[in-house]
Amino acid sequence: MRIAILSCFYPYRGGISQFNACLYTELGREHTVKAFNFKRQYPEFLFPGKTQYVTEDDEAVKIESERLLDTANPFSYVTTLGKIREWNPDLLIVRYWMSWFAPSLGYITRRMKGRCKVISILDNVIPHEPRFFDTPFTGYFLKGSDGCITLCEAVAQDLLKLRPDIRYRVIPHPLYSHFGEKKARPEAERKLGLLPGKKNILFFGLIREYKGLDILIEAFSGLGEEYQLIIAGEPYGSFGKYAEMIEKSGAKERIFTCLHYIRDSEVTDYFSAADVAVLPYRSATQSGISSVSYHFEVPMIVTDVGGLKESIGDKGTGIVAPEVSPGAVREEILRYFATPQIREDCIRNIRKAKKELSWEAFCSRLIDFCKTL
């Protein structure tokens, strides 16, 4: 089968690009695959981080792609459509995670539908930080899809609110397995400059309002001297309010911050040092962080929002705080460390889940779904 993937690839960095690289590689084992990439994802003034691109000291899988689509330039929509039509795929796969992409991607999918099968992989249908135009834009985009893949049931339910008639399949987020092996904990702690012998709590990934870092800092401020908090990731926006909270927490000497984009080669150190990863999100669908935690066999504490309970709590790979509050998160942290059996059970369930969450399994289910359309 000839499969075109339209999304972001190298030189863009981040979880979406990493996912696409893994998808491209696995599908390429049995199919002819071509990557169609963005020339520009966002105008710089709309991007809240430092850079959208891989830097010299980053590591990233260099997928060969044709960089064509500029979301802010409608002329590029026509050019990209023409190039995809010229390549003549049997299947077009498109990633969709925010409504900014609806006009450009929707223009192309609506004009490819009927020429080939079109499948959209939906990270979100309703964004974490919604705007008034999200619903009409997403509705426009979805009309170009023959079927959709969602990575959790919560997103599938959001999808059905907009398109109750659409064909879809839920296929859980596969594991990120390109970060290498877990290190010895003392080695990782030394490399990161952490205090040895502490109970290490990890907050990992891009720092955005909906991810609830402030909730975790407040929860941590009520924990004893034996606990240590590691905050690792690039802030999207100002870190000022979090810095002020850390300063006032009474525990700032036990809170370590690494406020930059974490390169692939650095990820191992953080998860090798961690006893548990905490995802104190205010809203969520699925989380790519859980896939990294699975790879390193680090249990998780999550809030009961979106697909987190479904993808983590129901699988027994972590525990779920019953509400989104510092007190609830603190109680689950205390329970986790007070009950060694919880950790043992979580790790056993993670090992079981790892066998099911391979890229081979994901792509096999995607192709099976395609055959039904």
Side-chain angles (χ1 to χ4, degrees):
M1 187 185 297
R2 290 170 67 83
I3 302 175
I5 305 176
L6 174 59
S7 193
C8 58
F9 293 88
Y10 181 92
Y12 295 101
R13 70 183 188 185
I16 300 288
S17 183
Q18 290 172 342
F19 184 111
N20 292 336
C22 294
L23 180 68
Y24 174 97
T25 301
E26 185 59 43
L27 286 172
R29 299 185 194 282
E30 295 188 13
H31 305 276
T32 301
V33 185
K34 184 173 176 63
F36 292 88
N37 201 351
F38 290 100
K39 184 183 293 183
R40 180 170 60 166
Q41 284 192 105
Y42 318 92
E44 288 298 329
F45 74 90
L46 289 178
F47 183 72
K50 292 181 179 178
T51 179
Q52 303 174 50
Y53 302 102
V54 171
T55 57
E56 290 183 3
D57 57 352
D58 285 337
E59 304 86 11
V61 180
K62 296 184 179 180
I63 298 297
E64 183 179 341
S65 67
E66 195 163 358
R67 296 188 65 190
L68 298 166
L69 186 59
D70 180 342
T71 57
N73 180 357
F75 292 107
S76 76
Y77 306 178
V78 179
T79 302
T80 305
L81 174 63
K83 289 289 187 179
I84 296 174
R85 281 181 172 176
E86 184 181 316
W87 195 69
N88 195 28
D90 303 301
L91 170 64
L92 171 62
I93 299 172
V94 179
R95 293 293 299 282
Y96 185 81
W97 65 98
M98 63 183 295
S99 57
W100 170 261
F101 296 98
S104 57
L105 296 179
Y107 177 91
I108 292 163
T109 57
R110 288 160 69 108
R111 287 160 178 80
M112 286 300 298
K113 190 176 180 182
R115 288 176 169 263
C116 70
K117 294 179 180 179
V118 179
I119 291 178
S120 298
I121 300 178
L122 307 175
D123 293 83
N124 303 302
V125 172
I126 299 172
H128 301 298
E129 296 154 341
R131 297 174 176 84
F132 72 92
F133 52 78
D134 291 329
T135 296
F137 274 33
T138 300
Y140 169 83
F141 167 78
L142 288 172
K143 287 181 181 177
S145 299
D146 293 300
C148 296
I149 300 293
T150 71
L151 305 178
C152 69
E153 186 62 39
V155 175
Q157 293 307 309
D158 289 340
L159 171 64
L160 293 175
K161 290 173 186 174
L162 289 183
R163 286 287 307 278
D165 59 328
I166 200 162
R167 301 183 70 178
Y168 75 96
R169 186 162 294 176
V170 179
I171 310 179
H173 196 306
L175 297 184
Y176 287 131
S177 56
H178 60 286
F179 296 115
E181 297 301 315
K182 197 169 185 176
K183 292 182 177 180
R185 177 180 171 132
E187 178 189 351
E189 288 181 328
R190 282 195 303 271
K191 188 167 181 182
L192 296 174
L194 299 172
L195 299 171
K198 300 289 187 183
K199 297 173 179 177
N200 290 335
I201 299 163
L202 176 64
F203 178 96
F204 188 87
L206 297 175
I207 299 169
R208 304 180 68 172
E209 176 68 22
Y210 76 86
K211 292 192 175 184
L213 176 57
D214 55 324
I215 294 169
L216 179 55
I217 293 171
E218 188 172 340
F220 183 79
S221 67
L223 297 175
E225 292 288 327
E226 67 272 29
Y227 293 91
Q228 183 166 231
L229 174 60
I230 307 157
I231 301 169
E234 180 183 355
Y236 269 24
S238 171
F239 191 75
K241 78 168 185 178
Y242 305 112
E244 186 176 346
M245 289 184 70
I246 291 170
E247 189 67 28
K248 294 178 178 178
S249 68
K252 66 177 182 179
E253 71 283 354
R254 293 181 287 112
I255 300 177
F256 291 78
T257 58
C258 306
L259 305 179
H260 62 264
Y261 179 83
I262 308 300
R263 302 194 308 272
D264 287 0
S265 62
E266 297 176 306
V267 172
T268 304
D269 294 316
Y270 293 98
F271 282 87
S272 298
D275 290 298
V276 66
V278 179
L279 286 64
Y281 294 3
R282 289 184 167 87
S283 68
T285 47
Q286 62 287 318
S287 172
I289 305 305
S290 67
S291 296
V292 186
S293 291
Y294 279 3
H295 172 65
F296 290 108
E297 299 183 356
V298 175
M300 289 157 280
I301 297 171
V302 304
T303 44
D304 188 6
V305 295
L308 294 182
K309 183 178 185 296
E310 166 200 341
S311 59
I312 296 166
D314 291 352
K315 288 184 169 65
T317 55
I319 57 179
V320 182
E323 60 183 45
V324 183
S325 71
V329 171
R330 185 186 303 118
E331 285 303 311
E332 295 309 316
I333 292 172
L334 290 168
R335 185 165 73 91
Y336 174 84
F337 284 104
T339 316
Q341 189 64 45
I342 292 177
R343 176 181 172 86
E344 293 171 17
D345 290 346
C346 286
I347 291 174
R348 184 177 64 253
N349 289 328
I350 286 172
R351 289 172 179 167
K352 190 186 305 181
K354 285 171 75 170
K355 296 177 183 178
E356 304 167 359
L357 297 176
S358 68
W359 285 97
E360 180 182 6
F362 182 90
C363 290
S364 175
R365 293 177 68 183
L366 186 152
I367 295 300
D368 286 346
F369 176 61
C370 173
K371 291 175 181 176
T372 69
L373 298 175

